[in-house]
């Protein structure tokens, strides 16, 4: 950001749309910085920041340089330990009401397209399962899809019309445990890189817990299984746009090599499905978070207001 540039490590978040810095490394205005006089405030699921709005040059890579990008510069924040801010790549609607004297704030994707840097207003995101802390295991393709990262076809579905999921990268999906245990049906929710776990509405979560026999671990707040229960764990099936995506038993558990990050027991098996904290039918019944996205390729298509999902070579990985 800026000229001369300062490099920031930002959380990539499809569940928000403002880009901001300053929660870790400080922002210092340079020759390309312009203070707009506006204030910024954004609240997140697990944190918030307040600060000032600047426009500045933002380089995501040598080929992806944005001029006059609105950025927030945090003067106060909570919940962002270990990162310098957020790169918000959600729908632009989410910026409404976040900056004073301003309607919507164009996102980095909006500006890359408007400035002619990318030919289509979409982002493809590839991850692979984490096996060590701090592992570089993802790739963003601005303006297209990296077909080398997928197997089979991409299933595209329109953004759901159900609010509040409709304000995000929201989709409709059915979730089944094993062959016949319905967990969710025709439910709206969101696909979100900024959420770690797979979150389900409380009644759906309880149905999953009953089906798996898992117990709640008091130290981590996650469900835990015995080895015998894990050996019997069945796949979760996600029906999205008429395509069934299998979320395998191995995909459903936290990477055992990373149990210490949770403050967990290295010998326990933890599930990544957790309680969203609200009942189904509330318009946001699930969040397919980072743990889910490590097994699938996802596409966020602003031009066609749609989300795409595809399998990858890691969909059936057993590394967890």
């Amino acid at each position: 950001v800026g000229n001369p540039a300062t490099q920031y490590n930002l959380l990539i978040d499809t569940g928000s749309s403002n880009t901001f810095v300053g929660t870790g490394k400080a922002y210092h205005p340079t020759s390309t910085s312009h203070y707009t006089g506006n204030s910024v405030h954004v609240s997140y699921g697990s944190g918030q920041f307040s600060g000032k709005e600047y426009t500045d040059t933002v380089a995501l890579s040598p080929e992806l340089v944005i001029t006059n990008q609105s950025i927030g510069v945090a003067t106060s924040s909570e919940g962002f330990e270990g990162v310098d801010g957020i790169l918000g790549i959600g729908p632009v609607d989410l910026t409404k009401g976040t900056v004073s004297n301003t309607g919507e704030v164009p996102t980095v994707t909006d500006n890359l397209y408007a400035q002619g840097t990318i030919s289509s207003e979409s982002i493809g995101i590839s991850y692979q399962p984490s096996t060590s802390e701090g592992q570089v295991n993802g790739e963003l393709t601005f303006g297209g899809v990296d077909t080398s990262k997928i197997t089979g076809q991409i299933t595209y579905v329109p953004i759901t019309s159900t609010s509040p999921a409709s304000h995000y990268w929201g989709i409709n999906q059915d979730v089944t445990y094993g062959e016949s245990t319905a967990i969710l049906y025709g439910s709206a929710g969101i696909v979100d890189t900024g959420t770690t776990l797979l979150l389900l509405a409380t009644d759906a979560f309880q149905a999953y817990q009953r089906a798996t026999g898992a117990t709640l671990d008091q130290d981590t707040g996650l469900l835990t299984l015995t080895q015998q229960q894990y050996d019997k764990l069945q796949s979760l099936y996600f029906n999205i746009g008429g395509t069934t995506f299998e979320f395998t038993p191995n995909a459903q558990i936290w990477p055992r090599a990373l149990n210490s990050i949770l403050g967990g027991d290295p010998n326990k098996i933890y599930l990544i499905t957790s309680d969203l904290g609200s009942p189904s039918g509330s318009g946001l019944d699930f969040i397919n978070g980072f743990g889910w996205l490590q097994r699938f390729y996802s596409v966020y298509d602003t031009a066609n207001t749609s989300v795409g999902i595809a399998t990858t070579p890691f969909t059936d990985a057993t590394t967890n």
Side-chain angles (χ1 to χ4, degrees), residues 125-132 134-140 149 258 290 293-294 314:
I125 300 184
S126 160
Y127 293 119
Q128 55 182 280
S130 302
T131 54
S132 61
Q135 178 183 356
V136 177
N137 63 339
E139 177 187 279
L140 284 78
K149 303 291 186 184
L258 301 179
F290 180 57
L293 287 164
Q294 289 186 43
F314 300 100

Side-chain angles (χ1 to χ4, degrees), residues 103-317:
E104 292 180 342
V105 180
T107 67
V108 290
T109 319
D110 292 335
N111 282 330
L112 283 168
Y113 181 70
Q115 294 173 18
T117 307
I118 56 176
S119 58
S120 66
E121 198 170 356
S122 66
I123 306 169
I125 300 184
S126 160
Y127 293 119
Q128 55 182 280
S130 302
T131 54
S132 61
E133 191 171 1
Q135 178 183 356
V136 177
N137 63 339
E139 177 187 279
L140 284 78
T141 301
F142 285 88
V145 170
D146 184 347
T147 55
S148 72
K149 303 291 186 184
I150 66 175
T151 56
Q153 301 296 310
I154 301 173
T155 296
Y156 285 96
V157 292
I159 298 292
T160 182
S161 60
T162 303
S163 182
S166 56
H167 301 292
Y168 299 82
W169 292 114
I171 62 172
N172 295 326
Q173 70 182 16
D174 306 333
V175 183
T176 305
Y177 176 78
E179 296 299 318
S180 58
T181 304
I183 302 295
L184 284 172
Y185 182 76
S187 296
I190 67 173
V191 182
D192 182 18
T193 60
T195 294
T196 304
L197 304 173
L198 168 62
L199 300 181
L200 300 176
T202 299
D203 48 311
F205 169 74
Q206 291 169 345
Y208 175 74
Q209 182 177 1
R210 288 192 299 271
T212 60
T215 56
L216 191 65
D217 178 72
Q218 296 302 317
D219 293 329
T220 61
L222 296 180
L223 294 177
T224 185
L225 295 174
T226 65
Q227 182 64 51
Q228 291 76 14
Q229 288 171 321
Y230 175 62
D231 292 341
K232 296 177 182 177
L233 189 65
Q234 298 180 58
S235 292
L236 281 168
Y237 295 95
F238 291 75
N239 186 304
I240 299 170
T243 301
T244 298
F245 294 93
E246 182 178 2
F247 196 58
T248 65
N250 188 263
Q252 293 173 55
I253 67 171
W254 184 267
R256 281 171 278 191
L258 301 179
N259 281 0
S260 61
I261 293 175
L262 296 168
D265 184 326
N267 299 311
K268 279 190 174 182
I269 299 172
Y270 300 100
L271 292 167
I272 67 164
T273 300
S274 195
D275 188 351
L276 187 56
S278 54
S280 62
S282 59
L284 205 163
D285 293 351
F286 61 85
I287 300 178
N288 293 358
F290 180 57
W292 189 85
L293 287 164
Q294 289 186 43
R295 301 301 179 120
F296 303 104
Y297 193 91
S298 53
V299 184
Y300 306 86
D301 189 338
T302 297
N304 296 300
T305 57
S306 62
V307 173
I309 303 292
T311 55
T312 78
F314 300 100
T315 297
D316 300 323

